[in-house]
Amino acid sequence: MKHTAAILVIPLAVGAALGAMGSHIVAAQQASESRTVLLTKDLVGIEGHEVRMWRTDIGPGIAGAKHYHPGTECVYVLEGALNLEEGGALVHLKAGDAHCIPPRTVLVPRNASSTEPYKSLVVMIAPKGQPLAVPVK
């Protein structure tokens, strides 16, 4: 009887532990910076260029990586607020704001809230074949 109980208890304990670890992993993923590419399309009539569209999500209290984009980037803030270090200047964007950034401008995005997520829709026109973002040290 004790052997049967152990066979039942051990998998339950392992399952509970894995479930707890999984919830921490999901919370950590939500608290980071991510980009979800929605569209990449060649531009007709503008040889060698493409349009890209993506959604950026930045968790509460998170600062994104220092980077630049190879093309003109236009941002529309869907939710939350962002403090954007843009080429040495600070730009504050909130839900409903739109903003364009020239190519190769060094950026550091920071979610302005420690409790609410930041979400934006971004459209970029760039030379074809360039990376979405280029890290800067």
Side-chain angles (χ1 to χ4, degrees):
M1 181 73 171
K2 288 183 182 181
H3 183 54
T4 304
I7 290 173
L8 294 174
V9 171
I10 291 171
L12 287 173
V14 170
L18 290 174
M21 287 176 15
S23 68
H24 289 294
I25 291 168
V26 169
Q29 288 173 344
Q30 291 173 344
S32 65
E33 174 189 24
S34 68
R35 293 184 186 101
T36 304
V37 176
L38 304 170
L39 173 76
T40 300
K41 182 98 172 134
D42 289 351
L43 288 173
V44 177
I46 306 176
E47 200 63 37
H49 284 75
E50 62 189 4
V51 63
R52 294 182 183 176
M53 183 184 297
W54 68 88
R55 192 182 81 210
T56 297
D57 295 275
I58 302 175
I62 299 296
K66 189 175 190 178
H67 67 282
Y68 70 83
H69 299 280
T72 297
E73 172 193 17
C74 295
V75 178
Y76 177 74
V77 181
L78 299 167
E79 184 179 319
L82 185 74
N83 291 324
L84 182 64
E85 188 180 311
E86 179 184 325
L90 186 62
V91 177
H92 181 74
L93 302 170
K94 63 186 181 325
D97 287 349
H99 181 68
C100 286
I101 303 156
R104 301 189 185 285
T105 301
V106 175
L107 307 170
V108 179
R110 288 181 175 82
N111 186 329
S113 173
S114 60
T115 58
E116 300 297 321
Y118 165 82
K119 297 179 182 185
S120 63
L121 180 65
V122 183
V123 176
M124 177 176 70
I125 295 178
K128 191 173 176 172
Q130 294 293 310
L132 186 68
V134 178
V136 173
K137 294 184 183 201

Short mmCIF file of all heavy atoms in Angstrom, two decimals, residues 28-83:
data_model
loop_
_atom_site.label_atom_id
_atom_site.label_comp_id
_atom_site.label_asym_id
_atom_site.label_seq_id
_atom_site.Cartn_x
_atom_site.Cartn_y
_atom_site.Cartn_z
N ALA A 28 8.56 35.58 -16.61
CA ALA A 28 9.82 36.17 -17.08
C ALA A 28 9.72 36.53 -18.55
O ALA A 28 10.23 37.58 -18.97
CB ALA A 28 10.97 35.20 -16.84
N GLN A 29 9.07 35.70 -19.35
CA GLN A 29 8.92 36.00 -20.77
C GLN A 29 8.07 37.24 -20.97
O GLN A 29 8.33 38.05 -21.83
CB GLN A 29 8.31 34.81 -21.50
CG GLN A 29 9.24 33.65 -21.64
CD GLN A 29 8.55 32.43 -22.22
OE1 GLN A 29 7.33 32.34 -22.26
NE2 GLN A 29 9.35 31.49 -22.67
N GLN A 30 7.02 37.42 -20.18
CA GLN A 30 6.15 38.58 -20.31
C GLN A 30 6.85 39.84 -19.86
O GLN A 30 6.47 40.93 -20.25
CB GLN A 30 4.87 38.37 -19.50
CG GLN A 30 3.98 37.29 -20.08
CD GLN A 30 2.81 36.96 -19.19
OE1 GLN A 30 2.78 37.32 -18.02
NE2 GLN A 30 1.84 36.28 -19.75
N ALA A 31 7.87 39.73 -19.03
CA ALA A 31 8.55 40.88 -18.48
C ALA A 31 9.73 41.32 -19.34
O ALA A 31 10.50 42.15 -18.95
CB ALA A 31 9.03 40.57 -17.07
N SER A 32 9.87 40.77 -20.53
CA SER A 32 11.01 41.10 -21.38
C SER A 32 10.60 41.99 -22.55
O SER A 32 9.49 42.51 -22.59
CB SER A 32 11.65 39.82 -21.90
OG SER A 32 10.72 39.16 -22.75
N GLU A 33 11.51 42.16 -23.48
CA GLU A 33 11.24 42.90 -24.71
C GLU A 33 11.11 41.88 -25.84
O GLU A 33 11.93 40.97 -25.95
CB GLU A 33 12.40 43.85 -25.01
CG GLU A 33 12.28 44.54 -26.34
CD GLU A 33 13.53 45.31 -26.74
OE1 GLU A 33 14.63 44.97 -26.26
OE2 GLU A 33 13.40 46.23 -27.55
N SER A 34 10.09 42.02 -26.68
CA SER A 34 9.96 41.10 -27.81
C SER A 34 9.40 41.83 -29.03
O SER A 34 8.72 42.84 -28.90
CB SER A 34 9.06 39.92 -27.45
OG SER A 34 7.72 40.35 -27.29
N ARG A 35 9.75 41.29 -30.17
CA ARG A 35 9.21 41.79 -31.45
C ARG A 35 8.54 40.63 -32.16
O ARG A 35 9.12 39.55 -32.29
CB ARG A 35 10.33 42.34 -32.33
CG ARG A 35 10.98 43.58 -31.79
CD ARG A 35 12.01 44.11 -32.80
NE ARG A 35 12.74 45.22 -32.22
CZ ARG A 35 13.96 45.13 -31.73
NH1 ARG A 35 14.61 44.00 -31.75
NH2 ARG A 35 14.54 46.20 -31.22
N THR A 36 7.34 40.87 -32.65
CA THR A 36 6.60 39.88 -33.42
C THR A 36 6.44 40.42 -34.84
O THR A 36 5.70 41.39 -35.05
CB THR A 36 5.21 39.62 -32.80
OG1 THR A 36 5.38 39.23 -31.43
CG2 THR A 36 4.47 38.54 -33.57
N VAL A 37 7.15 39.83 -35.80
CA VAL A 37 7.09 40.30 -37.18
C VAL A 37 5.74 39.92 -37.77
O VAL A 37 5.32 38.76 -37.71
CB VAL A 37 8.24 39.71 -38.02
CG1 VAL A 37 8.12 40.14 -39.48
CG2 VAL A 37 9.59 40.16 -37.45
N LEU A 38 5.05 40.90 -38.32
CA LEU A 38 3.72 40.71 -38.89
C LEU A 38 3.74 40.68 -40.41
O LEU A 38 2.90 40.04 -41.04
CB LEU A 38 2.78 41.82 -38.42
CG LEU A 38 2.66 41.98 -36.90
CD1 LEU A 38 1.91 43.26 -36.56
CD2 LEU A 38 2.00 40.77 -36.28
N LEU A 39 4.71 41.40 -41.02
CA LEU A 39 4.73 41.52 -42.47
C LEU A 39 6.12 41.93 -42.95
O LEU A 39 6.77 42.77 -42.33
CB LEU A 39 3.72 42.59 -42.91
CG LEU A 39 3.69 42.99 -44.37
CD1 LEU A 39 3.00 41.91 -45.19
CD2 LEU A 39 2.96 44.31 -44.54
N THR A 40 6.57 41.32 -44.03
CA THR A 40 7.76 41.76 -44.76
C THR A 40 7.38 41.67 -46.24
O THR A 40 7.01 40.60 -46.71
CB THR A 40 8.98 40.86 -44.47
OG1 THR A 40 9.26 40.92 -43.07
CG2 THR A 40 10.20 41.31 -45.24
N LYS A 41 7.46 42.80 -46.96
CA LYS A 41 6.99 42.83 -48.34
C LYS A 41 7.87 43.76 -49.17
O LYS A 41 8.20 44.86 -48.75
CB LYS A 41 5.54 43.34 -48.34
CG LYS A 41 4.87 43.40 -49.65
CD LYS A 41 4.02 42.18 -49.85
CE LYS A 41 3.20 42.35 -51.11
NZ LYS A 41 3.20 41.23 -51.95
N ASP A 42 8.26 43.29 -50.36
CA ASP A 42 9.01 44.14 -51.29
C ASP A 42 8.14 45.33 -51.69
O ASP A 42 6.92 45.20 -51.87
CB ASP A 42 9.37 43.36 -52.56
CG ASP A 42 10.45 42.32 -52.32
OD1 ASP A 42 11.03 42.31 -51.22
OD2 ASP A 42 10.69 41.52 -53.23
N LEU A 43 8.77 46.48 -51.86
CA LEU A 43 8.05 47.67 -52.30
C LEU A 43 8.08 47.74 -53.82
O LEU A 43 9.15 47.73 -54.43
CB LEU A 43 8.68 48.94 -51.71
CG LEU A 43 8.43 49.14 -50.22
CD1 LEU A 43 9.23 50.33 -49.70
CD2 LEU A 43 6.95 49.34 -49.94
N VAL A 44 6.94 47.81 -54.42
CA VAL A 44 6.83 47.92 -55.88
C VAL A 44 7.17 49.35 -56.26
O VAL A 44 6.66 50.31 -55.68
CB VAL A 44 5.40 47.55 -56.34
CG1 VAL A 44 5.26 47.74 -57.84
CG2 VAL A 44 5.07 46.13 -55.94
N GLY A 45 8.05 49.51 -57.24
CA GLY A 45 8.43 50.84 -57.71
C GLY A 45 9.59 51.46 -56.95
O GLY A 45 10.06 52.53 -57.31
N ILE A 46 9.99 50.83 -55.86
CA ILE A 46 11.16 51.32 -55.10
C ILE A 46 12.11 50.13 -55.01
O ILE A 46 12.15 49.41 -54.01
CB ILE A 46 10.77 51.85 -53.71
CG1 ILE A 46 9.69 52.92 -53.82
CG2 ILE A 46 12.00 52.41 -53.00
CD1 ILE A 46 9.19 53.43 -52.50
N GLU A 47 12.85 49.92 -56.09
CA GLU A 47 13.73 48.75 -56.22
C GLU A 47 14.71 48.66 -55.06
O GLU A 47 15.31 49.66 -54.66
CB GLU A 47 14.50 48.86 -57.55
CG GLU A 47 15.06 47.55 -58.02
CD GLU A 47 13.99 46.52 -58.33
OE1 GLU A 47 12.92 46.88 -58.84
OE2 GLU A 47 14.24 45.33 -58.04
N GLY A 48 14.84 47.46 -54.52
CA GLY A 48 15.82 47.20 -53.47
C GLY A 48 15.37 47.58 -52.08
O GLY A 48 16.17 47.56 -51.14
N HIS A 49 14.10 47.94 -51.89
CA HIS A 49 13.58 48.30 -50.58
C HIS A 49 12.36 47.45 -50.23
O HIS A 49 11.67 46.94 -51.11
CB HIS A 49 13.21 49.79 -50.52
CG HIS A 49 14.40 50.68 -50.40
ND1 HIS A 49 15.23 50.94 -51.47
CD2 HIS A 49 14.92 51.34 -49.34
CE1 HIS A 49 16.20 51.75 -51.07
NE2 HIS A 49 16.04 52.00 -49.79
N GLU A 50 12.12 47.32 -48.94
CA GLU A 50 10.97 46.57 -48.46
C GLU A 50 10.32 47.29 -47.30
O GLU A 50 10.94 48.15 -46.66
CB GLU A 50 11.37 45.15 -48.06
CG GLU A 50 12.37 45.08 -46.94
CD GLU A 50 12.92 43.67 -46.70
OE1 GLU A 50 12.58 42.74 -47.45
OE2 GLU A 50 13.70 43.52 -45.76
N VAL A 51 9.08 46.92 -47.04
CA VAL A 51 8.38 47.43 -45.87
C VAL A 51 8.27 46.27 -44.88
O VAL A 51 8.07 45.12 -45.28
CB VAL A 51 6.98 48.00 -46.22
CG1 VAL A 51 6.06 46.94 -46.78
CG2 VAL A 51 6.34 48.67 -45.01
N ARG A 52 8.46 46.59 -43.61
CA ARG A 52 8.33 45.59 -42.54
C ARG A 52 7.39 46.15 -41.49
O ARG A 52 7.42 47.34 -41.20
CB ARG A 52 9.68 45.31 -41.89
CG ARG A 52 10.65 44.65 -42.84
CD ARG A 52 11.92 44.36 -42.12
NE ARG A 52 12.89 43.79 -43.03
CZ ARG A 52 14.13 43.52 -42.70
NH1 ARG A 52 14.55 43.76 -41.47
NH2 ARG A 52 14.95 43.01 -43.57
N MET A 53 6.60 45.27 -40.94
CA MET A 53 5.69 45.66 -39.87
C MET A 53 5.85 44.66 -38.74
O MET A 53 5.91 43.45 -38.98
CB MET A 53 4.25 45.66 -40.38
CG MET A 53 3.23 46.11 -39.36
SD MET A 53 1.52 46.00 -39.96
CE MET A 53 1.56 47.16 -41.31
N TRP A 54 5.94 45.16 -37.51
CA TRP A 54 6.03 44.27 -36.36
C TRP A 54 5.38 44.92 -35.14
O TRP A 54 5.13 46.12 -35.12
CB TRP A 54 7.48 43.89 -36.06
CG TRP A 54 8.38 44.97 -35.56
CD1 TRP A 54 8.58 45.37 -34.27
CD2 TRP A 54 9.25 45.80 -36.35
NE1 TRP A 54 9.50 46.37 -34.20
CE2 TRP A 54 9.93 46.66 -35.47
CE3 TRP A 54 9.50 45.89 -37.71
CZ2 TRP A 54 10.86 47.62 -35.90
CZ3 TRP A 54 10.43 46.84 -38.14
CH2 TRP A 54 11.09 47.68 -37.24
N ARG A 55 5.11 44.08 -34.15
CA ARG A 55 4.62 44.57 -32.87
C ARG A 55 5.74 44.43 -31.87
O ARG A 55 6.42 43.41 -31.82
CB ARG A 55 3.41 43.75 -32.41
CG ARG A 55 2.71 44.43 -31.22
CD ARG A 55 1.55 43.63 -30.72
NE ARG A 55 2.11 42.58 -29.86
CZ ARG A 55 1.56 41.39 -29.70
NH1 ARG A 55 0.47 41.06 -30.34
NH2 ARG A 55 2.11 40.50 -28.90
N THR A 56 5.94 45.48 -31.08
CA THR A 56 6.93 45.45 -30.01
C THR A 56 6.19 45.40 -28.68
O THR A 56 5.25 46.16 -28.46
CB THR A 56 7.83 46.71 -30.05
OG1 THR A 56 8.56 46.72 -31.27
CG2 THR A 56 8.81 46.74 -28.88
N ASP A 57 6.62 44.50 -27.82
CA ASP A 57 6.08 44.37 -26.47
C ASP A 57 7.24 44.49 -25.49
O ASP A 57 8.25 43.80 -25.64
CB ASP A 57 5.41 43.01 -26.28
CG ASP A 57 4.20 42.83 -27.17
OD1 ASP A 57 3.12 43.27 -26.76
OD2 ASP A 57 4.34 42.26 -28.27
N ILE A 58 7.07 45.37 -24.50
CA ILE A 58 8.09 45.54 -23.47
C ILE A 58 7.39 45.45 -22.12
O ILE A 58 6.44 46.19 -21.86
CB ILE A 58 8.85 46.88 -23.60
CG1 ILE A 58 9.50 46.98 -24.99
CG2 ILE A 58 9.90 47.01 -22.50
CD1 ILE A 58 10.18 48.32 -25.26
N GLY A 59 7.86 44.53 -21.30
CA GLY A 59 7.25 44.31 -19.99
C GLY A 59 7.46 45.48 -19.05
O GLY A 59 8.31 46.35 -19.26
N PRO A 60 6.66 45.51 -17.98
CA PRO A 60 6.77 46.58 -16.98
C PRO A 60 8.19 46.71 -16.43
O PRO A 60 8.82 45.71 -16.10
CB PRO A 60 5.81 46.14 -15.88
CG PRO A 60 4.85 45.21 -16.56
CD PRO A 60 5.64 44.53 -17.64
N GLY A 61 8.68 47.94 -16.37
CA GLY A 61 9.99 48.21 -15.78
C GLY A 61 11.18 47.76 -16.61
O GLY A 61 12.32 47.84 -16.15
N ILE A 62 10.96 47.32 -17.83
CA ILE A 62 12.05 46.77 -18.66
C ILE A 62 12.64 47.84 -19.57
O ILE A 62 11.92 48.62 -20.18
CB ILE A 62 11.53 45.58 -19.51
CG1 ILE A 62 11.03 44.46 -18.63
CG2 ILE A 62 12.59 45.09 -20.49
CD1 ILE A 62 12.09 43.82 -17.76
N ALA A 63 13.96 47.83 -19.68
CA ALA A 63 14.68 48.64 -20.67
C ALA A 63 15.14 47.70 -21.78
O ALA A 63 15.72 46.65 -21.50
CB ALA A 63 15.88 49.34 -20.04
N GLY A 64 14.83 48.06 -23.01
CA GLY A 64 15.24 47.25 -24.15
C GLY A 64 16.71 47.45 -24.45
O GLY A 64 17.38 48.34 -23.92
N ALA A 65 17.20 46.62 -25.34
CA ALA A 65 18.61 46.67 -25.73
C ALA A 65 18.89 47.91 -26.59
O ALA A 65 18.05 48.33 -27.39
CB ALA A 65 18.97 45.41 -26.49
N LYS A 66 20.10 48.42 -26.46
CA LYS A 66 20.56 49.54 -27.29
C LYS A 66 20.73 49.02 -28.72
O LYS A 66 21.37 47.98 -28.92
CB LYS A 66 21.89 50.05 -26.73
CG LYS A 66 22.38 51.33 -27.34
CD LYS A 66 23.65 51.77 -26.60
CE LYS A 66 24.07 53.16 -27.00
NZ LYS A 66 25.26 53.59 -26.25
N HIS A 67 20.14 49.73 -29.70
CA HIS A 67 20.15 49.24 -31.07
C HIS A 67 19.85 50.37 -32.06
O HIS A 67 19.53 51.49 -31.64
CB HIS A 67 19.10 48.14 -31.24
CG HIS A 67 17.69 48.64 -31.10
ND1 HIS A 67 17.11 48.92 -29.88
CD2 HIS A 67 16.75 48.93 -32.03
CE1 HIS A 67 15.87 49.35 -30.08
NE2 HIS A 67 15.63 49.38 -31.38
N TYR A 68 19.91 50.05 -33.34
CA TYR A 68 19.38 50.94 -34.37
C TYR A 68 18.70 50.10 -35.43
O TYR A 68 18.87 48.88 -35.50
CB TYR A 68 20.47 51.84 -34.97
CG TYR A 68 21.49 51.15 -35.84
CD1 TYR A 68 21.24 50.87 -37.18
CD2 TYR A 68 22.73 50.79 -35.33
CE1 TYR A 68 22.18 50.25 -37.99
CE2 TYR A 68 23.68 50.16 -36.12
CZ TYR A 68 23.40 49.90 -37.45
OH TYR A 68 24.33 49.27 -38.24
N HIS A 69 17.91 50.76 -36.26
CA HIS A 69 17.23 50.11 -37.39
C HIS A 69 17.82 50.66 -38.68
O HIS A 69 18.13 51.85 -38.76
CB HIS A 69 15.72 50.36 -37.33
CG HIS A 69 15.10 49.82 -36.08
ND1 HIS A 69 14.79 48.48 -35.94
CD2 HIS A 69 14.74 50.42 -34.92
CE1 HIS A 69 14.26 48.30 -34.73
NE2 HIS A 69 14.23 49.45 -34.10
N PRO A 70 17.98 49.83 -39.71
CA PRO A 70 18.61 50.28 -40.95
C PRO A 70 17.72 51.15 -41.84
O PRO A 70 18.20 51.73 -42.80
CB PRO A 70 18.96 48.97 -41.66
CG PRO A 70 17.99 47.98 -41.12
CD PRO A 70 17.72 48.40 -39.71
N GLY A 71 16.44 51.29 -41.49
CA GLY A 71 15.54 52.10 -42.30
C GLY A 71 14.77 53.08 -41.44
O GLY A 71 14.95 53.16 -40.23
N THR A 72 13.89 53.84 -42.08
CA THR A 72 13.01 54.76 -41.36
C THR A 72 11.96 53.94 -40.62
O THR A 72 11.27 53.12 -41.20
CB THR A 72 12.32 55.74 -42.33
OG1 THR A 72 13.32 56.53 -42.97
CG2 THR A 72 11.35 56.66 -41.60
N GLU A 73 11.87 54.18 -39.32
CA GLU A 73 10.98 53.42 -38.44
C GLU A 73 9.88 54.35 -37.95
O GLU A 73 10.16 55.43 -37.43
CB GLU A 73 11.78 52.88 -37.25
CG GLU A 73 10.95 52.25 -36.19
CD GLU A 73 11.74 52.01 -34.91
OE1 GLU A 73 12.81 52.59 -34.71
OE2 GLU A 73 11.25 51.23 -34.09
N CYS A 74 8.62 53.95 -38.12
CA CYS A 74 7.49 54.72 -37.61
C CYS A 74 6.73 53.88 -36.60
O CYS A 74 6.37 52.74 -36.87
CB CYS A 74 6.58 55.16 -38.75
SG CYS A 74 7.40 56.29 -39.89
N VAL A 75 6.51 54.45 -35.42
CA VAL A 75 5.94 53.75 -34.28
C VAL A 75 4.56 54.33 -33.97
O VAL A 75 4.40 55.55 -33.94
CB VAL A 75 6.84 53.94 -33.02
CG1 VAL A 75 6.24 53.28 -31.80
CG2 VAL A 75 8.24 53.47 -33.29
N TYR A 76 3.60 53.46 -33.71
CA TYR A 76 2.30 53.88 -33.18
C TYR A 76 2.10 53.12 -31.87
O TYR A 76 2.12 51.89 -31.85
CB TYR A 76 1.16 53.55 -34.15
CG TYR A 76 -0.19 53.91 -33.57
CD1 TYR A 76 -0.58 55.25 -33.49
CD2 TYR A 76 -1.03 52.93 -33.07
CE1 TYR A 76 -1.80 55.59 -32.93
CE2 TYR A 76 -2.26 53.28 -32.51
CZ TYR A 76 -2.63 54.60 -32.45
OH TYR A 76 -3.84 54.95 -31.88
N VAL A 77 1.93 53.86 -30.77
CA VAL A 77 1.80 53.24 -29.45
C VAL A 77 0.36 52.76 -29.24
O VAL A 77 -0.57 53.55 -29.27
CB VAL A 77 2.22 54.21 -28.32
CG1 VAL A 77 2.09 53.54 -26.96
CG2 VAL A 77 3.64 54.72 -28.54
N LEU A 78 0.22 51.45 -29.05
CA LEU A 78 -1.08 50.83 -28.84
C LEU A 78 -1.50 50.88 -27.38
O LEU A 78 -2.68 51.08 -27.06
CB LEU A 78 -1.05 49.36 -29.29
CG LEU A 78 -0.72 49.11 -30.75
CD1 LEU A 78 -0.42 47.63 -30.99
CD2 LEU A 78 -1.87 49.57 -31.63
N GLU A 79 -0.52 50.67 -26.49
CA GLU A 79 -0.82 50.54 -25.07
C GLU A 79 0.39 50.92 -24.25
O GLU A 79 1.52 50.61 -24.62
CB GLU A 79 -1.18 49.07 -24.81
CG GLU A 79 -1.62 48.71 -23.44
CD GLU A 79 -1.96 47.22 -23.34
OE1 GLU A 79 -2.57 46.68 -24.27
OE2 GLU A 79 -1.58 46.62 -22.31
N GLY A 80 0.18 51.60 -23.12
CA GLY A 80 1.26 51.93 -22.22
C GLY A 80 2.00 53.19 -22.64
O GLY A 80 1.50 54.01 -23.41
N ALA A 81 3.23 53.32 -22.13
CA ALA A 81 4.05 54.49 -22.40
C ALA A 81 5.51 54.06 -22.49
O ALA A 81 5.93 53.08 -21.88
CB ALA A 81 3.88 55.54 -21.31
N LEU A 82 6.28 54.84 -23.26
CA LEU A 82 7.68 54.51 -23.51
C LEU A 82 8.53 55.75 -23.34
O LEU A 82 8.18 56.84 -23.82
CB LEU A 82 7.84 53.98 -24.95
CG LEU A 82 9.22 53.48 -25.35
CD1 LEU A 82 9.49 52.13 -24.69
CD2 LEU A 82 9.31 53.34 -26.85
N ASN A 83 9.66 55.60 -22.67
CA ASN A 83 10.70 56.62 -22.65
C ASN A 83 11.76 56.13 -23.63
O ASN A 83 12.39 55.10 -23.39
CB ASN A 83 11.29 56.79 -21.24
CG ASN A 83 10.29 57.42 -20.31
OD1 ASN A 83 9.50 58.28 -20.69
ND2 ASN A 83 10.28 56.98 -19.06
#
